[in-house]
Amino acid sequence: MPKAGKALSTRLDHRNPLVFDTHELGRRPGALQRLSRTVEAPVDLGIDGVIGVPQGSPVELDLRLESVMEGVLVTGTARASAEGECVRCLEPLRQEVAAGFQEMFSYPDTDDRGHRKAAADDDAEDDEDITPLEDGMFDLEPVLRDAVVLALPMQPVCREDCAGLCAECGANLNENPDHHHDAVDIRWAALQGLAGSLGTDEKDNMSGAEAGVDEKQEK
């Protein structure tokens, strides 16, 4: 299955902060360029319903662009603050995330019409793994999204020793570590329920009857 963003159905917009231009880098193998940029997080940057970087929050990017024979090798790190919910106590949490990534953006072989030429021995699956530059530009968003998702925890916790919630009443055990419920012998649970449902007179009658039985046993 092809990776997200491999097929470019529309032209890249140089005004998009996640689109980078490599013209200044040039095509001489070994040329290097370092870039730092703070961008707004795109929508759905994270694990849906678990934890993610809120849309519009700052994402700090540090990139290293290297020109190689095949294209431009991009190595970088993204830093941001992710928000979610602790899986144990269900309290909101905030966690710093640093995601590293590396991606090759290839120079497309083009004909005089600007279309990519297919070599005779090209393999369809190999084509799917190619991320071509478009007019010397590349879109970092798919790479950023994959890297951040892999860097986030699947089961986030507010702290490693989070005690979670009481299984019986849902009380937060972090706030009340001495919280507990008295264990009831299941053999007496039915009798306790019956006693609780009886009126005062009925209880007195039962007590009197029990006393009479005790007297007979003593005689």
Side-chain angles (χ1 to χ4, degrees):
M1 184 175 181
K3 293 172 66 176
K6 293 296 182 182
L8 297 174
S9 57
T10 60
R11 296 181 67 85
L12 297 180
D13 184 354
H14 69 277
R15 295 169 297 181
N16 184 335
L18 285 172
V19 170
F20 292 81
D21 193 329
T22 67
H23 284 102
E24 185 177 339
L25 174 67
R27 297 186 63 160
R28 180 175 59 83
L32 294 175
Q33 184 180 14
R34 296 183 182 275
L35 299 173
S36 294
R37 183 181 296 182
T38 299
V39 302
E40 294 185 355
V43 65
D44 298 330
L45 185 59
I47 305 171
D48 186 34
V50 181
I51 188 172
V53 180
Q55 181 180 3
S57 62
V59 179
E60 297 179 2
L61 299 174
D62 291 314
L63 305 180
R64 178 180 183 270
L65 280 58
E66 181 180 1
S67 179
V68 295
M69 290 294 296
E70 298 84 2
V72 177
L73 180 64
V74 179
T75 306
T77 304
R79 294 180 176 82
S81 294
E83 297 179 3
E85 187 179 83
C86 177
V87 296
R88 297 179 188 171
C89 67
L90 306 183
E91 289 294 319
L93 61 82
R94 187 179 183 90
Q95 180 174 319
E96 298 302 312
V97 58
F101 51 85
Q102 187 174 75
E103 184 78 4
M104 170 69 77
F105 294 91
S106 301
Y107 298 127
D109 296 324
T110 59
D111 57 22
D112 56 357
R113 296 182 181 179
H115 298 146
R116 182 175 183 274
K117 291 181 179 178
D121 58 350
D122 272 357
D123 184 82
E125 291 187 3
D126 292 340
D127 288 345
E128 291 179 350
D129 293 333
I130 294 174
T131 308
L133 291 165
E134 182 178 326
D135 295 332
M137 298 184 295
F138 64 87
D139 184 4
L140 192 65
E141 181 175 339
V143 178
L144 173 65
R145 192 178 301 280
D146 290 345
V148 169
V149 169
L150 290 174
L152 290 172
M154 293 296 294
Q155 294 187 317
V157 291
C158 59
R159 63 174 195 253
E160 291 299 324
D161 61 346
C162 176
L165 303 177
C166 174
E168 294 189 38
C169 67
N172 191 327
L173 301 180
N174 297 311
E175 299 175 355
N176 187 5
D178 296 327
H179 174 83
H180 69 282
H181 294 270
D182 294 330
V184 177
D185 192 322
I186 60 174
R187 293 173 296 178
W188 295 101
L191 293 178
Q192 289 180 344
L194 176 62
S197 64
L198 296 176
T200 303
D201 293 340
E202 292 174 309
K203 290 181 180 179
D204 291 342
N205 292 337
M206 288 183 64
S207 298
E210 291 174 355
V213 171
D214 292 340
E215 290 178 358
K216 290 180 180 180
Q217 290 177 347
E218 290 177 359
K219 291 179 180 182

